[in-house]
Amino acid sequence: MTHPLRIAIVGGGPGGLTLARILSRHGVAVCVFERESGPLERPQGGTLDLHVESGQFALQQAGLDDAFKRIARYEDQGSRLMDHHGQLLFEDPNPEAKDRPEVDRTQLRQILLDSLPEGCAKWGVSINHASQGDDQRWTLHQGDRHHGPFDLVVGADGAWSKIRPLLSPYQPQYSGLTFIEFNIDDADLRHPLAARLVGRGTLQVAGEARSIIVQRNANAHLRGYAIFRVPTDWAANTIDLSHAPSLKIQFQGWHPDVLALFDAASPTLLVRHIHALPVGHRWAHRPGLTLIGDAAHLMSPFGGEGVNAAMLDAAELAQHLLETPDGSKAVQAYENHMFERVMPAAQGSAEGAALQLSHDSVALSLAHLHQHLTPQ
Ligand SMILES: Cc1cc2nc3c(=O)[nH]c(=O)nc-3n(C[C@H](O)[C@H](O)[C@H](O)COP(=O)(O)OP(=O)(O)OC[C@H]3O[C@@H](n4cnc5c(N)ncnc54)[C@H](O)[C@@H]3O)c2cc1C
């Protein structure tokens, strides 16, 4: 089928690539403009659990069930909560029975990329802004280079979207939480103590205005976050980011097995400031433009919904575009539904972020795990 619209997607993350895949599989010509120079420019980050009704549904719409099953780690769905003395407070009684398998971001991106037509993803294209011509079509600008014109531009360019300012005056706000990421390679063989402590899934160690979350990724890689409620300049001024064990000073008195995680980690630490758009973020429809994923509804990671919401946005937008010949009506239908759909997840993530590192965060984390993971 020749689709009447010429569509550009800005951003080749999980949202943008899912949209490109579903559209192109139905014969719609679409381009993805991605600022990274190639798929291996940087590691894509941690493990993600894909939910049946959103992330997994989107991959079905993309015709990628089999590829998904090859990368899904059902065996890594465990959850543990410990206090800072190393006492185990909670362990998921039946993790393998869940249907929220973990996938590595790099592998997820690769199965999506492998499914796209040749030349669909344009690498090394960092879009600065978009402008509208007299014919109402949009041109994308990359410095003094131009791409287009397009009938529809979809901003799938994440937290600091260059498309969002054309639709909304809102910018993400700092949540007050800073994550300092550390990484432990080849844990089963080289750091068995750390591997056992974390187990098959996610370990949270909570206590005294600090917290640590460590997740098992593919290939026995552990990725952890030391979490603080601090101003944005605190980490760079306080922590030696080239020496992971320097984090130990921030966790004095914590159990030695927990502190040993920092000794096992590769030297370099990464600072991630957690931002979010306001709960209920929305915009007035503007023909020829829309947003999906973090560009539309950036949330703190505490709900574990961000990537799932991004992929469901992609699936729903694609479905509307395929079913409704009038592109503007299709986009409005997507937007009106999406604004309502993401509200509970955005609310939950905002509450999760607000409760982190409060004086009773151990009790709150325990209550959350019992509510969500204990069989009823
Ligand atoms: C520490 C942390 C942990 C998280 N953990 C989870 C989790 O466990 N579960 C979960 O569901 N979510 C999690 N998230 C959230 C999740 O990462 C995002 O919601 C998800 O990646 C959003 O996908 P996206 O495609 O909308 O945007 P992104 O993944 O941000 O992709 C955007 C893409 O656009 C490209 N881009 C940006 N600007 C431009 C430009 N100007 N021109 C061209 N290309 C551009 C970027 O290079 C990138 O490839 C976490 C986030 C963080 C920070």
Side-chain angles (χ1 to χ4, degrees):
M1 149 188 146
T2 309
H3 198 275
L5 299 182
R6 215 176 152 217
I7 300 174
I9 300 168
V10 181
L17 294 179
T18 304
L19 178 62
R21 163 62 183 169
I22 300 175
L23 289 175
S24 59
R25 127 177 237 245
H26 290 279
V28 181
V30 53
C31 293
V32 180
F33 296 98
E34 167 55 50
R35 73 176 167 197
E36 290 172 6
S37 58
L40 301 177
E41 183 188 300
R42 67 173 176 97
Q44 290 297 301
T47 185
L48 302 161
D49 59 324
L50 292 191
H51 305 172
V52 174
E53 67 287 357
S54 44
Q56 291 185 45
F57 169 77
L59 288 177
Q60 276 160 16
Q61 298 301 298
L64 294 174
D65 303 44
D66 289 344
F68 163 69
K69 287 197 182 97
R70 282 198 295 279
I71 63 167
R73 291 179 288 111
Y74 285 86
E75 65 280 16
D76 286 345
Q77 299 183 91
S79 291
R80 275 182 192 167
L81 176 67
M82 250 174 210
D83 69 14
H84 70 288
H85 303 300
Q87 190 189 345
L88 187 63
L89 302 175
F90 180 89
E91 172 130 43
D92 190 350
N94 199 9
E96 293 199 18
K98 286 192 292 187
D99 198 0
R100 293 187 162 194
E102 298 288 330
V103 298
D104 268 33
R105 274 172 203 263
T106 306
Q107 292 180 341
L108 176 63
R109 193 187 217 190
Q110 199 57 53
I111 63 171
L112 288 163
L113 283 171
D114 287 347
S115 73
L116 293 180
E118 183 97 24
C120 172
K122 317 273 183 217
W123 296 98
V125 184
S126 183
I127 300 300
N128 312 113
H129 70 107
S131 62
Q132 196 170 25
D134 293 340
D135 61 357
Q136 307 303 304
R137 300 171 89 205
W138 292 89
T139 298
L140 295 173
H141 302 273
Q142 169 199 12
D144 51 13
R145 291 190 60 196
H146 311 304
H147 306 273
F150 298 99
D151 302 295
L152 174 62
V153 170
V154 180
D157 48 344
W160 305 103
S161 170
K162 294 286 193 285
I163 304 302
R164 188 175 52 231
L166 294 162
L167 291 167
S168 157
Y170 287 94
Q171 287 288 314
Q173 301 295 310
Y174 179 51
S175 66
L177 295 170
T178 290
F179 283 22
I180 303 198
E181 180 183 316
F182 57 96
N183 286 277
I184 302 175
D185 279 327
D186 202 6
D188 290 343
L189 284 178
R190 292 176 50 209
H191 305 286
L193 260 180
R196 276 202 297 279
L197 187 75
V198 174
R200 301 294 316 209
T202 298
L203 166 71
Q204 181 181 0
V205 191
E208 294 182 355
R210 276 151 178 54
S211 161
I212 298 172
I213 293 178
V214 193
Q215 293 180 305
R216 189 181 171 97
N217 292 233
N219 306 318
H221 184 84
L222 303 179
R223 178 175 277 103
Y225 305 102
I227 304 178
F228 305 88
R229 190 174 286 289
V230 286
T232 45
D233 57 358
W234 177 85
N237 292 331
T238 313
I239 311 265
D240 178 355
L241 297 172
S242 60
H243 185 56
S246 68
L247 271 173
K248 286 196 285 188
I249 202 158
Q250 301 300 328
F251 291 89
Q252 276 177 1
W254 285 42
H255 193 278
D257 288 354
V258 175
L259 296 182
L261 291 167
F262 302 131
D263 290 322
S266 317
T268 305
L269 299 167
L270 299 167
V271 179
R272 300 192 184 278
H273 299 121
I274 303 302
H275 288 78
L277 282 162
V279 175
H281 177 241
R282 58 187 63 209
W283 56 88
H285 175 68
R286 188 166 180 192
L289 288 180
T290 196
L291 305 173
I292 63 172
D294 280 4
H297 44 64
L298 179 69
M299 309 171 196
S300 87
F302 291 102
E305 290 286 348
V307 84
N308 287 287
M311 292 171 73
L312 187 55
D313 292 350
E316 291 186 351
L317 176 58
Q319 193 177 356
H320 284 295
L321 288 168
L322 292 167
E323 286 173 358
T324 312
D326 179 331
S328 192
K329 282 204 175 114
V331 169
Q332 277 184 80
Y334 151 75
E335 289 174 345
N336 291 337
H337 177 67
M338 179 273 288
F339 292 147
E340 299 304 322
R341 169 172 54 75
V342 296
M343 282 272 277
Q347 180 89 36
S349 301
E351 284 169 8
L355 294 175
Q356 289 301 309
L357 316 186
S358 58
H359 65 284
D360 52 357
S361 57
V362 177
L364 290 167
S365 296
L366 196 53
H368 175 85
L369 285 169
H370 276 301
Q371 188 188 345
H372 291 276
L373 297 178
T374 307
Q376 303 296 308

